[in-house]
Amino acid sequence: MIYTESLTKYFDNFLAVDAVNLDVRQGQILVLLGPNGAGKTTTARMLTSILVPSAGTAKVAGYDVVREADRVRASVGVLTEHHGLYGRMNPVEYLEFYAALFGMDRTRATRRIDELLEQFGLTQARKQRLGEYSKGMRQKLALVRALIHDPPVLLLDEPTSAMDPESARMVRDSIRTLRSEQRTILMCTHNLSEAEELADQIAIIRRGRVILNDTPVNIKSILLGPEEFEVQLAGSLDGRMGDWPDGVALTAQDENWLRFKIENPQTTNPMLLRRLLEQDMRVVSFNLVARSLEDAYIQAVMHDTPSGKAPLA
């Protein structure tokens, strides 16, 4: 549904996007992460046929972004950073205007508007002027506008920006529902916990290049190494040094706890637990140490690496 090959964009002599390769299937969410100025927005604008690539190719919903730009625009719903809401309109007038731009008939547009206003909790505010809306309400209405023509592909730039926690949760739940309906979503966000929660793939962009593109789990493994587990004990170690199975590395310890890096937890953890019990270590808990996508992201943007899935080494 979103496919690029060596997608490149120059502005005069400045290379903004450098040979980006993406492949996003139907029903998947790809999150683009990167510092400000990394090339995320320029990539999204090429994918919506707003900007013409300098080199390379891109297809969205099967349509070429240059040769079939009108088909691309009809197949994509876009939530931009700057919404462009018309403050003197109420939401129904505003959405009817955009529905007409997409060629929707009046009956279909009315039904769709009612459904979406209800879904995003805006029905009670349908007669208010948009200039009276809060920032969060404006954000939700902008997302409704992106969905008005029921597109198969969505490009969302900071979809929960300026929202209170309850509204942000509603939008994230809606994004999950859209994915389950087999829509394909490309999302730019600086909210790393949101990215980890929603993404099937994460592409990290730095200086216009994709430096890593993989699942959130694999990205953390590549950048942070093997998973860590912590064992809490009932009682003191009393200076005892354990004998650990192959693939287990002790990384930290105190009087009543041990921390290990483990290469293959599914096969090694049962052996490690058995070894601990054989050495009369009374295990209270054996838990995975939480690792954040934020830690992995910081590691990524501190390095340069070729595009692809290779470790940053």
Side-chain angles (χ1 to χ4, degrees):
M1 293 298 285
I2 298 174
Y3 177 79
T4 74
E5 185 174 351
S6 299
L7 188 66
T8 301
K9 182 64 180 178
Y10 281 92
F11 294 102
D12 295 326
N13 293 324
F14 175 70
L15 180 58
V17 175
D18 184 5
V20 165
N21 298 316
L22 300 173
D23 186 0
V24 192
R25 308 291 177 88
Q26 186 178 29
Q28 288 189 330
I29 296 177
L30 169 68
V31 173
L32 293 183
L33 294 179
N36 291 332
K40 305 185 299 296
T41 299
T42 300
T43 300
R45 287 177 176 171
M46 287 190 284
L47 293 175
T48 52
S49 296
I50 294 172
L51 291 176
V52 177
S54 303
T57 60
K59 288 187 175 183
V60 175
Y63 301 115
D64 186 276
V65 297
V66 177
R67 297 193 305 272
E68 300 170 291
D70 288 345
R71 294 287 189 94
V72 169
R73 295 183 189 119
S75 301
V76 174
V78 182
L79 173 66
T80 59
E81 183 179 1
H82 303 291
H83 303 146
L85 302 181
Y86 303 139
R88 293 188 178 184
M89 286 183 170
N90 67 41
V92 175
E93 293 168 337
Y94 178 76
L95 295 170
E96 285 177 344
F97 171 69
Y98 272 91
L101 290 179
F102 283 109
M104 297 172 65
D105 66 69
R106 186 74 177 229
T107 301
R108 181 188 169 208
T110 299
R111 183 173 63 250
R112 185 73 175 150
I113 289 167
D114 289 344
E115 290 173 356
L116 291 170
L117 290 179
E118 178 68 26
Q119 179 180 342
F120 287 91
L122 294 172
T123 299
Q124 299 302 315
R126 62 185 294 135
K127 293 184 179 180
Q128 285 183 242
R129 288 188 176 185
L130 302 186
E132 300 171 355
Y133 272 30
S134 68
K135 288 182 179 180
M137 292 169 71
R138 292 176 188 176
Q139 185 81 349
K140 286 194 282 187
L141 186 67
L143 182 55
V144 168
R145 181 194 63 200
L147 293 166
I148 191 67
H149 58 303
D150 205 17
V153 177
L154 290 170
L155 275 73
L156 309 178
D157 192 356
E158 299 290 346
T160 60
S161 174
M163 286 189 173
D164 60 83
E166 183 180 358
S167 296
R169 170 56 60 187
M170 178 191 297
V171 169
R172 285 195 290 271
D173 290 343
S174 297
I175 290 171
R176 272 190 288 268
T177 300
L178 293 167
R179 174 175 56 188
S180 69
E181 294 171 354
Q182 295 304 297
R183 282 181 176 84
T184 299
I185 300 170
L186 185 146
M187 188 169 81
C188 300
T189 182
H190 288 100
N191 186 329
L192 294 176
S193 62
E194 182 173 87
E196 188 167 10
E197 180 180 342
L198 294 174
D200 298 297
Q201 296 182 54
I202 290 176
I204 301 176
I205 298 181
R206 183 170 187 248
R207 297 174 184 167
R209 295 186 301 123
V210 173
I211 61 174
L212 199 59
N213 184 358
D214 214 316
T215 66
V217 170
N218 286 348
I219 282 176
K220 286 191 287 185
S221 178
I222 289 168
L223 294 168
L224 301 177
E227 291 182 319
E228 281 193 303
F229 291 82
E230 188 169 286
V231 178
Q232 291 284 339
L233 304 172
S236 172
L237 284 169
D238 294 327
R240 286 177 290 175
M241 297 297 294
D243 176 25
W244 319 125
D246 292 339
V248 176
L250 181 67
T251 58
Q253 69 181 83
D254 205 338
E255 279 301 302
N256 62 349
W257 60 267
L258 301 159
R259 184 173 289 187
F260 302 94
K261 277 197 172 182
I262 299 176
E263 293 285 348
N264 190 348
Q266 287 192 330
T267 58
T268 306
N269 281 7
M271 292 189 291
L272 175 59
L273 181 57
R274 189 181 307 118
R275 195 73 59 87
L276 290 166
L277 296 174
E278 288 171 352
Q279 297 174 72
D280 294 325
M281 296 186 187
R282 293 177 294 158
V283 175
V284 174
S285 64
F286 193 133
N287 295 313
L288 177 66
V289 177
R291 302 192 299 177
S292 72
L293 181 63
E294 180 179 4
D295 292 335
Y297 171 76
I298 290 170
Q299 285 290 324
V301 297
M302 289 173 61
H303 297 79
D304 283 318
T305 187
S307 299
K309 298 184 179 182
L312 304 183

